Amino acid sequence: MTISAFGVAITTFAGQNFGAQKYDRVRRSVWVCMGLGVAMLGALSILEFTFREFLLGIFTTDPEVIRIGAEMIGCIVLWNAIFIPIEVFAGAMRGTGYSIQPTLIMCGSVCLFRILWILLAVERWHTVFVLCLAYPISWVLCVLVFYGFYLKGDWLHGRIKAL
């Protein structure tokens, strides 16, 4: 939820500055938002990782469920920061009128990739760790696609027609 809040915040800020044709402020706010997101999520991730067994114990007393949950948190939480650029880039693009491109990027590199991962990798190596690897790998893939689209810059100055 914390990461999503940064995505919504940048959508509003980017939209206002895009409308005012202050493109430099849009670009600068993307990086400020990412920095704030990394700081906030870094602190929360450290707490979640450190107290993962206690937090899981709030929901169950089954030691096997806690063990598996702790393994999943250990695999995923340390990579959470990779998700920040996804929300921030997508939010900035949405604020400038490009809503379909971020949706397609996320559907392809997150949803479609994870389905393929489950069908191919998890089927072959049937472990919780391999299942959890779908998250950071799909996030890296998504960030790379977003970053390429962001660097192209056409979305910011309106040289590409919004779909």
Side-chain angles (χ1 to χ4, degrees):
M1 296 306 296
T2 304
I3 301 170
S4 296
F6 282 102
V8 171
I10 194 67
T11 300
T12 303
F13 194 82
Q16 291 171 342
N17 284 285
F18 182 77
Q21 297 181 342
K22 297 186 184 242
Y23 306 124
D24 60 317
R25 290 186 72 187
V26 175
R27 288 191 186 278
R28 191 175 43 216
S29 66
V30 164
W31 298 109
V32 168
C33 195
M34 279 207 228
L36 291 170
V38 167
M40 173 66 76
L41 190 62
L44 291 174
S45 293
I46 289 169
L47 287 172
E48 183 181 1
F49 183 78
T50 302
F51 298 107
R52 63 188 182 229
E53 288 89 3
F54 171 77
L55 294 170
L56 290 164
I58 294 171
F59 301 100
T60 184
T61 57
D62 185 332
E64 184 63 10
V65 172
I66 292 174
R67 184 192 66 75
I68 293 170
E71 181 182 344
M72 292 175 76
I73 289 172
C75 178
I76 296 170
V77 77
L78 298 177
W79 299 98
N80 277 348
I82 296 172
F83 197 71
I84 294 168
I86 295 169
E87 285 288 341
V88 173
F89 285 143
M93 289 176 199
R94 287 184 191 113
T96 61
Y98 290 86
S99 59
I100 292 179
Q101 291 87 340
T103 302
L104 293 175
I105 291 169
M106 290 175 85
C107 282
S109 56
V110 174
C111 300
L112 183 61
F113 173 81
R114 288 182 189 168
I115 291 169
L116 292 173
W117 182 264
I118 290 168
L119 292 174
L120 301 173
V122 176
E123 183 66 28
R124 179 162 163 79
W125 300 284
H126 197 75
T127 66
V128 171
F129 179 75
V130 171
L131 176 66
C132 290
L133 282 178
Y135 287 93
I137 294 171
S138 66
W139 294 338
V140 168
L141 177 63
C142 194
V143 167
L144 292 174
V145 174
F146 264 121
Y147 193 62
F149 194 77
Y150 178 83
L151 284 180
K152 186 173 180 181
D154 292 342
W155 62 274
L156 183 57
H157 297 291
R159 289 190 289 264
I160 297 176
K161 295 216 185 290
L163 297 176

